[in-house]
Amino acid sequence: MPIPAEPIWVHTPGRKYPIYIGHHLLSQKDFLAAYLQNKQVFILSHSEIASHYLALLHQSCEQAGASQIDHLIIPSGDQYKTLTTADEVWSALLSLNHHRDTIIIALGGGMIGDLAGFCAACYMRGVGFIQCPTTLLAQIDSAIGGKTGLNHQMGKNLIGAFYQPLAVITDISTLNTLGEKEFNSGLAELIKYGLALDKDFFIWLEENIDKLVERAPGTLQMAIKRACKIKATIINEDELEKGQRIVLNFGHTVAHALESLLDYKHILHGEAVAIGMVVAVQLSLQQGTIDKNVLERLISLLKKAHLPVQLDASVPLVEILTKMKHDKKHAYQRLRWVLLKSLGEPRICEEVTEQQITQALVKCGASP
Ligand code: GLY
């Protein structure tokens, strides 16, 4: 089968690469053929995804001309996105004799993609890698833009590198096997694109949320393409997050603190982002840039996507504040909030006081 529809292109100073989006792409060799001829291939995945798609991908790699195909299955969950797991990956690559021109393929969600990308960036000082994202969240966000990395016990994604893939192959059919909670978690990042960056997309999401929750294939494909286009446009301007790219972190200041506090086990990334977006909109409301209607529309949309809309009262306020400050200390910069100028328009703000943050967190359910 020939390569369908034009991909979306990401142009960074060091690399131009395609994002292919469609159904049943993993079973087609054409997307891989340009990269794998006579190459060693190392697929990184976790057991559940591997049980559905590894054999399929293996066969496509073989048909694409790969000379050696190995794989490693690692446990799933962000709590395993660590240096210890990365070491296992590098040890496997070395013991299987993978050379400098090997290609690492990430088959899985954000955790697999981030880890595979980081391992690729460091192995032999950098080998090629391909993202095959299988969660909604990875398809619209983490597989695009080259942020790779690991968690440290002191915080999420504190160790990492910008390292762009050779290509992103987004097979939407893989979402059919995704659990409900994980799928909904991806919807939070979709909502982020509308809320913070594209008012028309937010309105489209309001109109189509029920079809998205049902995973209607055509609606899903439209949403994924739109989100990828928004993200690619931002990456093309600011690969290394020196400026505008930070707007993609809308809702993430609180989200990362929550995930870290809950040991990456008790809340999914998108669930934390959903709560983080409510806090960011509450802060924007307090600052008078938007009216209450935006907050109400966001909460209504998140509820339709079965996402949490407030903090769990059992998470102590003081600990969230400490975690957020800790991230700031490690970044050697002021804590920069991404708030709203209006629906669909972000505003970067460094002048948020602890009192304002506390007030917003309490409004959003934290116990004082
Ligand atoms: N997920 C935010 C970014 O890629 O910059």
Side-chain angles (χ1 to χ4, degrees):
M1 201 185 290
I3 292 180
E6 252 313 281
I8 293 166
W9 288 93
V10 180
H11 295 257
T12 64
R15 175 162 290 154
K16 174 183 172 196
Y17 60 93
I19 307 170
Y20 294 107
I21 300 169
H23 294 271
H24 306 293
L25 304 196
L26 287 184
S27 52
Q28 297 174 46
K29 69 172 170 46
D30 307 72
F31 300 97
L32 297 165
Y35 311 100
L36 302 192
Q37 275 291 330
N38 299 318
K39 291 282 173 74
Q40 294 176 301
V41 173
F42 185 89
I43 302 169
L44 189 69
S45 194
H46 66 77
S47 55
E48 208 196 317
I49 286 296
S51 70
H52 293 294
Y53 307 110
L54 182 61
L56 209 60
L57 181 60
H58 194 285
Q59 190 182 38
S60 297
C61 291
E62 218 166 61
Q63 290 169 352
S67 59
Q68 175 187 339
I69 307 166
D70 296 304
H71 66 263
L72 181 70
I73 304 299
I74 58 172
S76 68
D78 229 57
Q79 71 270 36
Y80 296 105
K81 204 173 86 175
T82 59
L83 199 53
T84 310
T85 316
D87 189 45
E88 273 176 44
V89 176
W90 291 318
S91 300
L93 282 160
L94 287 167
S95 60
L96 293 161
N97 240 331
H98 281 257
H99 307 306
R100 290 203 58 176
D101 60 352
T102 193
I103 305 286
I104 297 181
I105 301 184
L107 175 67
M111 176 263 175
I112 293 284
D114 286 7
L115 187 79
F118 184 73
C119 289
C122 300
Y123 188 68
M124 305 271 170
R125 299 201 181 88
V127 297
F129 92 108
I130 294 174
Q131 291 271 20
C132 294
T134 60
T135 64
L136 180 57
L137 196 140
Q139 294 184 351
I140 58 169
D141 186 20
S142 61
I144 307 158
K147 275 191 182 174
T148 74
L150 311 171
N151 300 329
H152 188 276
Q153 63 196 28
M154 288 189 175
K156 189 176 163 80
N157 293 339
L158 292 182
I159 312 295
F162 284 101
Y163 194 66
Q164 302 293 342
L166 298 170
V168 181
I169 299 172
T170 292
D171 184 340
I172 300 172
S173 317
T174 59
L175 300 183
N176 294 336
T177 49
L178 193 63
E180 206 172 295
K181 247 171 105 63
E182 240 193 306
F183 179 81
N184 295 340
S185 165
L187 291 175
E189 292 280 3
L190 261 188
I191 293 170
K192 175 194 81 177
Y193 285 110
L195 179 69
L197 296 158
D198 184 340
K199 182 179 175 184
D200 290 344
F201 187 40
F202 188 84
I203 294 167
W204 185 89
L205 287 169
E206 288 182 312
E207 287 162 359
N208 288 281
I209 191 66
D210 294 338
K211 282 191 231 152
L212 286 169
V213 169
E214 286 165 17
R215 307 186 202 187
T219 316
L220 210 44
Q221 180 152 344
M222 278 169 79
I224 292 170
K225 280 195 171 159
R226 182 117 170 211
C228 288
K229 273 188 192 152
I230 297 172
K231 180 147 187 183
T233 306
I234 290 173
I235 304 300
N236 294 348
E237 293 296 317
D238 178 25
E239 177 193 14
L240 303 179
E241 201 170 296
K242 300 277 189 227
Q244 189 63 5
R245 182 168 179 169
I246 197 177
V247 298
L248 294 170
N249 293 344
F250 185 85
H252 285 59
T253 308
V254 169
H256 283 173
L258 269 180
E259 286 177 274
S260 175
L261 264 181
L262 297 172
D263 293 329
Y264 309 105
K265 276 188 252 178
H266 307 293
I267 191 161
L268 294 176
H269 178 64
E271 294 172 331
V273 169
I275 297 168
M277 289 194 294
V278 175
V279 177
V281 172
Q282 174 62 40
L283 266 173
S284 312
L285 186 61
Q286 284 168 208
Q287 298 202 341
T289 52
I290 53 157
D291 64 45
K292 201 151 191 254
N293 175 264
V294 177
L295 182 61
E296 285 163 0
R297 284 169 73 180
L298 171 64
I299 289 177
S300 158
L301 192 54
L302 291 173
K303 280 186 175 164
K304 286 183 187 160
H306 308 294
L307 285 160
V309 294
Q310 61 174 22
L311 287 147
D312 189 321
S314 65
V315 179
L317 175 66
V318 62
E319 288 191 27
I320 306 176
L321 289 168
T322 310
K323 272 286 173 202
M324 289 193 308
K325 277 189 216 150
H326 201 83
D327 271 2
K328 168 188 156 192
K329 193 165 123 225
H330 280 266
Y332 291 100
Q333 64 187 17
R334 292 170 70 93
L335 189 56
R336 284 193 292 166
W337 285 83
V338 186
L339 302 180
L340 288 188
K341 193 187 283 180
S342 63
L343 177 58
E345 243 195 305
R347 182 171 71 94
I348 297 162
C349 186
E350 292 189 359
E351 310 307 324
V352 184
T353 63
E354 187 157 327
Q355 195 189 5
Q356 288 172 322
I357 300 168
T358 303
Q359 191 187 343
L361 288 169
V362 170
K363 276 259 183 211
C364 296
S367 11

